[in-house]
């Protein structure tokens, strides 16, 4: 299972490292390898969250996520996205932006760094909404009950997560954005830019999540209707078979358990792609601390994205989230921490090691809590088993 799931990631790794050596010699090999580790460490929580969503999709859309989705993640977000940002912020056409990235790498890095406040606001608000909607939902399984139980009660208030996210955006706009960090260590007022980008991130989340939920609910209603129709058909056939004294050869059925398909699956896939984009923002910006070569950056981050996608599929196929029930909680807490870090990074530079360690610690903690829970349940089951009957002479 491990080799089968990660075979494309291994193949892409060999190809990417070879292309790096051909492009810029053996020094590029080390740079690409470092970027791979950076991307995987920053996006491990992304894989856990994606797995929780991907398991709702049917096998066809899971393959789409691992094929077309990878192309979007590798060539769209890791290669084209920084160029598009430079083209928009600098008022350049796409050709000039690509030419700048290849010929004047220092200027290209400066433009991407200067666009960081807008990028951080968009991604931070999108991730913050994911965290808030998760933490305000009343769940049967709770990890940190002293936090999640009162927040679940507060979550009964309509639009609470949206209102809280807007408050965070306003505070960020008039504090961190007023002294946004720019290339060269200077600070400028980016309040209007951050406010606009943050609202764009919030609206994107509401639209994509709303459409995904709408079509998912409609699909569930159709499945319920098919299920009722199938039950009625089975009852009619059983009655006919009983009258005719012949075996019932045909029974009805439903698609329940097959997974989302159609429009519901499409918008869920779209939601996954926007989520991956939000996670990739900090990786793209952080990669400039290692290199400002767009080719090496695309190779390293692209290989890392392949491993994250493969890890997502592996978690789904192994049922890891069902076995370790707190992993999803830990990943969402890591999302909330990343959203806060993105907002703070508008003014202050935060080392990527800190960002990566926060996610690793939270997910590791939730994994250990899941292991302890499983052990406690196993001991409880053993203690509740009836004793074996003694032999009576």
């Amino acid at each position: 299972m491990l080799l089968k799931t990660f075979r494309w990631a291994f193949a892409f790794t060999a190809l990417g490292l070879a292309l790096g050596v051909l492009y810029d010699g053996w020094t590029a090999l080390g740079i690409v390898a470092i970027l791979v580790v950076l991307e995987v460490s920053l996006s491990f929580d992304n894989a856990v969250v994606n797995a929780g969503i991907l398991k709702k999709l049917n096998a066809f859309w899971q393959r789409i996520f691992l094929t077309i989705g990878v192309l979007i993640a590798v060539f769209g977000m890791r290669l084209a996205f920084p160029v598009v940002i430079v083209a928009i912020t600098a008022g350049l056409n796409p050709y000039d932006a690509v030419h700048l990235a290849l010929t004047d790498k220092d200027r290209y890095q400066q433009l991407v760094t200067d666009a960081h406040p807008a990028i951080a606001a968009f991604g931070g608000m999108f991730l913050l909404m994911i965290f808030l909607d998760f933490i305000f939902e009343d769940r049967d399984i709770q990890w940190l009950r002293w936090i999640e139980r009162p927040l679940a009660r507060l979550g009964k208030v309509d639009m609470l997560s949206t209102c809280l996210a807007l408050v965070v955006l306003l505070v960020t706009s008039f504090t961190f954005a007023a002294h946004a960090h720019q290339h060269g260590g200077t600070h400028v007022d980016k309040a209007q830019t951050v406010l606009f980008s943050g609202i764009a991130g919030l609206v994107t989340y509401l639209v994509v999540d709303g459409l995904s939920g709408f079509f998912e609910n409609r699909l569930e209603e159709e499945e319920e209707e098919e299920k009722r129709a199938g039950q009625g058909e089975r009852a009619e056939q059983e009655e006919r078979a009983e009258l005719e004294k012949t075996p019932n050869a045909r029974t009805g059925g439903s698609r329940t358990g097959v997974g989302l398909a159609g429009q519901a699956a499409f918008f869920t896939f779209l939601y996954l792609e926007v989520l991956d984009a939000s996670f990739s923002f900090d990786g793209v910006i952080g990669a400039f601390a290692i290199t400002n070569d767009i080719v090496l950056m695309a190779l390293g981050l692209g290989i890392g994205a392949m491993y994250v996608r493969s890890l997502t599929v592996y978690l789904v196929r192994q049922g890891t989230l069902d076995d370790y029930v707190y992993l999803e909680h830990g990943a969402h807490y890591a999302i909330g921490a990343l959203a806060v870090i993105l907002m703070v990074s508008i003014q202050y530079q935060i080392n990527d090691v800190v960002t990566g360690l926060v996610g690793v610690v939270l997910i590791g903690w939730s994994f250990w809590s899941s292991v302890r829970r499983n052990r406690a349940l196993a001991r409880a089951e053993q203690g509740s088993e009836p004793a074996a009957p003694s032999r009576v002479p």
Side-chain angles (χ1 to χ4, degrees), residues 298-310:
L299 288 174
L301 298 181
I303 294 172
M306 283 289 297
Y307 279 101
V308 173
R309 292 299 175 103
S310 299

Side-chain angles (χ1 to χ4, degrees), residues 51-63:
I53 302 171
L54 187 64
K55 66 181 181 181
K56 300 178 183 179
L57 301 179
N58 61 15
F60 171 78
W61 281 99
Q62 289 182 8
R63 288 194 298 270

Side-chain angles (χ1 to χ4, degrees), residues 44 65 92 104 177 179 209 241-242 332-333 340 348 366-367 369 391:
F44 185 79
F65 175 78
L92 301 174
D104 193 351
H179 304 281
D209 183 66
E242 181 67 23
H332 278 87
Y333 280 106
V340 173
Y348 302 101
S366 63
F367 175 78
S369 298
R391 292 184 178 180

Side-chain angles (χ1 to χ4, degrees), residues 221-269:
E221 293 175 358
E222 292 176 357
E223 289 178 347
E224 287 296 325
E225 293 178 359
E226 289 184 7
K227 185 177 180 180
R228 288 193 295 267
Q231 290 174 346
E233 184 180 351
R234 282 198 301 272
E236 182 180 348
Q237 291 171 357
E238 289 172 359
E239 183 179 358
R240 187 184 304 116
E242 181 67 23
L243 292 174
E244 298 176 358
K245 300 297 182 180
T246 57
N248 186 15
R250 181 171 178 264
T251 59
S254 73
R255 294 177 299 171
T256 303
V258 174
L260 295 181
Q263 293 173 317
F266 170 75
F267 283 103
T268 301
F269 170 77

Side-chain angles (χ1 to χ4, degrees), residues 279-302:
F279 272 100
S280 68
F281 291 155
D282 59 330
V284 171
I285 299 298
F288 281 101
I290 300 171
T291 180
N292 58 6
D293 192 307
I294 186 174
V295 176
L296 296 181
M297 192 181 302
L299 288 174
L301 298 181

Side-chain angles (χ1 to χ4, degrees), residues 131-148:
F131 169 70
L132 291 177
D133 278 351
F134 179 87
I135 203 67
F136 284 139
E137 185 177 348
D138 190 10
R139 299 180 176 275
D140 296 331
I141 297 177
Q142 295 177 335
W143 179 33
L144 305 178
R145 295 183 180 179
W146 58 278
I147 295 178
E148 296 176 13

Side-chain angles (χ1 to χ4, degrees), residues 337-356:
L338 178 58
V340 173
I341 290 173
L342 282 173
M343 292 300 191
V344 174
S345 68
I346 292 174
Q347 181 176 356
Y348 302 101
Q349 284 185 306
I350 299 177
N351 196 297
D352 290 325
V353 175
V354 176
T355 306

